[in-house]
Amino acid sequence: MSEVEAPSTETTSVSTSTTSTTSTPSPSTSRFSFKNIFSKHSKKDSGDTHQSSTNLKEKESKESKRKSKSYKRTQSLENFSKSPSTSENNIQSPDNAAANTQQTPTTPPTTTTTIDTVPITMIAPTGSLPNMSEVLSNGISLEGNDNNNNNNNEASSSSSSISSSNTSTPLTESTTSTPSELVTPQNSTSSLMKQSPQGADSVTTNNNRRSWSEQLDSDKENFVNDLNEQSVLSHPSFCEPSRVKRIKVANVTIIFNPMSGSKIGEKIMVEAKKYFEVHGIKVHVIPTEYKGHAEVLCRTLDIEGIDVVCLVGGDGTIHEAVNGIMKRDPESRERFVMACLPAGTGNSFVLELQGKLSIKHVCERVVNGLTVPIDIAKVTIVGKSKISAECSRRKLEYNTLKKKFAHVNLDASTLSSSQEAGRRSIQAYRQIRPDALMEYGSTLSNQFNSSNGIDRAPSSSDLGTDSITEGGEQNNADDSTPEPIYCFNSLHWGLGSKVNITAEKMRWMGKAVRYTTAALLELCRGERILARIEYEDANGEVTALEDEFCLAIVNNIQGAAKGMKMAPKAKLNDGLIDLILVKSHKTFDLMNIFTKVYDGTHTELDYVIYKQVKRFSITPFKKDKERKKRLRKEKKRIKAAIKAGREHSKNPLEILKTECNTILSELEDQIDEEIIDIDGELKGQTPFVCEMIPRSVRVVV
Ligand SMILES: Nc1ncnc2c1ncn2[C@@H]1O[C@H](COP(=O)(O)OP(=O)(O)OP(=O)(O)O)[C@@H](O)[C@H]1O
């Protein structure tokens, strides 16, 4: 029996004796095994035992490593959500971390001890702890961290709680516990690369192993020394250091949009708040609670004692804030200082203003307190009815002029030659020609400015005196004139706004796909729009173009999305609007623009008009084949009349009359109302007047 049982017992005995001291076999079995089997299998067994022992060791080691790895992963995930104090325990100094990293291969794979010594910095390839600079610099890369975003969003429902709970958080705790530090440099770089090529510069892997306080102190010294007025002089987006002012920053109000971009507004706000508090600045935090809230806040905020209002959001949030600021009374508008922390999708304005999309960088600049006022464009939407009234006024002027000239013989006696007569007639026509929008827009604008700053929409009484009908009566302008819309960044008419409108209809496709699809669709469609575009250049000369256009882009900054150099000459404080008009509608030509827009050479194409203007207006006409035919016929007739005038000294007033009447009647009936895109928002419509209000909003630079 014992012989029969031996093999199984023997196996057990071998394995137990070589691998474990915990399992104790019965003495009899053990003895029996050795006695009967040792002689037979001693050699083989010893080899097997050794082999088996090695295998087991390897297995255990592997298992242990696997466990260790999985624990590391768990630990890192846990640390994302751990409170600062908890996660701090797991974080070692860089030196210790390095030491532990070296030890790892030789350390017995006992799970618990290994895990305790695994430095969390192993997750980051640099092996060093990210510091405050990195945390803030990499702020934008938080976008990719959905877990954390979600966690924070859940916690972000109340503004007051955010404000109070974070006030007392010490810097070291917060920085070691913020998820941003766990973002690997690769991740953060790629994220920023996606944002813009310039943005990528702001991400550098910091191998510096100085302590927190050392790093912070040196940061402080550097930025205070670096940023002086000279930096504004050399800033590519400022033409002169006009009205540069350094302010002392002791109180900051942060307005953050929790919904902008990939909902990272709150996270960035927390980072910025900590940074300011470390620098001894008092911080008050207000979240936006609904669409349009940033405008209300910036219009009504009591800025007494507030040095800088720091906006955390995308272009939409800044647009709202600018509209609020512009509607303040002039004195408090002048005292309002705005800073923008990028938390949106595009952030092209912040990139241009600050040079990079780094949270730390913008925070530094806020603390430094250097400010410059920037231009803001004012868009006045002019209703069709208003233009009709204006046209009537012009008709009246024309009739008066006609009466005045009735007794004058403009033929040979007054004018030296018939050719001169023709030339004069054209000049006279240009003077009398109903530049309705420009004229109307400036009337409205003057009325705004002369009354209560520029914070009020015109009322019927503002318009009454100017709106005279042909019969000389007062024309009661209606009260429906919308408030002006202020634009800090860009405006699109034509193709640009149509892409947005089409993309809106394709929401089911998802954000990225629908914009590309809409752009391709509109590019292929390449619609031509007959429009009258008038502009006044820097010297005050007014030019009117009547042609078919495909699109108009207005830019206050040089750049646009994805590193495009849309308006190469644009400056933020030159008082001029950069107006880009594209006349061709052909798909190839439009694609050609896209290939050249990255270095700004698209402005040299012969179907692109690039002007720097003080104001301009756009009046598109309805697509009406019959009307176009009539207009062409009329133009031919006018041309022929001018020719006839040259040849037969025809009274130029006749020509003038024909031209004016044609234009006036066309204006009244055919003006088209198309939606335009202001700062990325589909708001406002044609016809409109846009004028630059120089140096209107003071920003941190
Ligand atoms: N609490 C809120 N709930 C819903 N919407 C909000 C809230 N606060 C602000 N908004 C709206 O969110 C919109 C988007 O914000 P924002 O423009 O800052 O981000 P974005 O569109 O992602 O960025 P970008 O404009 O740079 O592409 C704004 O139009 C704003 O009115």
Side-chain angles (χ1 to χ4, degrees), residues 193-225:
M193 286 290 278
K194 260 188 260 158
Q195 299 282 336
S196 94
Q198 294 100 304
D201 294 345
S202 64
V203 181
T204 46
T205 310
N206 197 338
N207 288 318
N208 195 332
R209 302 206 171 178
R210 282 178 296 171
S211 71
W212 287 113
S213 53
E214 274 172 357
Q215 181 65 51
L216 211 62
D217 285 342
S218 100
D219 281 351
K220 267 192 226 171
E221 277 167 25
N222 286 343
F223 74 73
V224 172
N225 293 335

Side-chain angles (χ1 to χ4, degrees), residues 52 86-87 111 125 264 305 322 327 338 367 372 437 464 482-483 582 585-586 595 645 653 655:
S52 165
T86 328
S87 62
T111 330
I264 54 165
V322 163
K327 287 168 192 166
M338 178 179 91
V367 178
V372 186
L437 286 180
E483 279 194 334
V582 176
H585 67 286
K586 290 177 192 148
T595 59
L653 275 180
I655 303 166

Side-chain angles (χ1 to χ4, degrees), residues 300-431:
T300 55
L301 195 70
D302 179 6
I303 53 155
E304 196 58 46
I306 299 174
D307 301 308
V308 176
V309 175
C310 210
L311 296 162
V312 180
D315 287 348
T317 309
I318 305 173
H319 172 81
E320 286 183 3
V322 163
N323 275 272
I325 298 167
M326 290 302 287
K327 287 168 192 166
R328 296 181 77 95
D329 65 88
E331 194 206 329
S332 80
R333 190 171 69 241
E334 171 62 26
R335 280 194 291 126
F336 199 109
V337 176
M338 178 179 91
C340 311
L341 285 159
T345 333
N347 305 307
S348 52
F349 178 75
V350 181
L351 186 61
E352 179 125 342
L353 189 67
Q354 304 292 359
K356 44 184 161 179
L357 293 175
S358 149
I359 306 304
K360 183 216 166 195
H361 177 77
V362 182
C363 289
E364 278 178 358
R365 294 198 162 196
V366 171
V367 178
N368 190 46
L370 200 63
T371 68
V372 186
I374 60 161
D375 305 332
I376 299 292
K378 186 175 82 178
V379 182
T380 308
I381 311 300
V382 185
K384 268 178 74 174
S385 57
K386 298 283 190 293
I387 294 179
S388 297
E390 189 61 23
C391 289
S392 301
R393 190 170 76 85
R394 289 292 171 171
K395 273 184 187 168
L396 184 71
E397 273 180 20
Y398 163 70
N399 284 332
T400 318
L401 198 80
K402 202 172 88 173
K403 273 181 206 155
K404 218 166 142 185
F405 278 89
H407 63 282
V408 181
N409 181 7
L410 287 173
D411 290 344
S413 60
T414 316
L415 305 165
S416 59
S417 72
S418 58
Q419 221 172 355
E420 180 68 358
R423 201 179 58 77
R424 283 278 185 98
S425 76
I426 299 300
Q427 270 180 4
Y429 159 66
R430 286 216 168 108
Q431 277 161 19

